Amino acid sequence: MSIQVVYAIVKAGGRQEKVSVGDVVVVDKLPGEIGDEVSLAPVMLVDGDKVTTAADLASTSVTAEIVGDEKGPKINILKFKNKTGYRRRQGHRAQLTAIRIKAIG
């Protein structure tokens, strides 16, 4: 009795994520509204024992639905130099999008 494992490695926002159907993944901000469909380019596709890499994936895509927008954790950037009065404080919070994978193929 073997379980058919299907997942894909997709490129989203400068990073690569391992996804399968039904997963909710948080990626960098994508244009679109909640409920819109987006297409992601797969880098690798695993279907059971068969592994497909970049050359054969030209016609394959991963479709996902935008679930919502989120914000990443607050990052505090502090710069300080002793005895000179130099102090700088800066903050950053990344804009993210949560997507649900609908289909691989």
Side-chain angles (χ1 to χ4, degrees):
M1 186 173 220
S2 66
I3 298 172
Q4 194 73 359
V5 178
V6 178
Y7 67 89
I9 308 291
V10 296
K11 191 169 188 175
R15 294 183 299 172
Q16 293 181 357
E17 301 280 342
K18 177 183 174 183
V19 298
S20 59
V21 176
D23 286 352
V24 176
V25 182
V26 178
V27 296
D28 288 343
K29 181 78 174 164
L30 295 173
E33 300 294 322
I34 295 174
D36 289 350
E37 284 192 2
V38 292
S39 180
L40 303 172
V43 177
M44 184 175 79
L45 179 66
V46 176
D47 187 7
D49 294 333
K50 183 180 173 190
V51 177
T52 309
T53 55
D56 303 324
L57 292 175
S59 63
T60 307
S61 68
V62 176
T63 57
E65 176 187 7
I66 296 178
V67 177
D69 294 326
E70 298 180 6
K71 286 186 177 182
K74 177 77 171 188
I75 297 172
N76 290 317
I77 303 160
L78 301 173
K79 294 182 180 181
F80 174 80
K81 291 189 180 179
N82 196 14
K83 299 178 186 173
T84 60
Y86 178 81
R87 293 186 190 102
R88 295 290 178 263
R89 182 176 178 173
Q90 183 180 3
H92 175 73
R93 197 163 182 195
Q95 301 293 318
L96 306 171
T97 300
I99 57 174
R100 177 177 289 118
I101 307 301
K102 292 178 76 176
I104 298 175

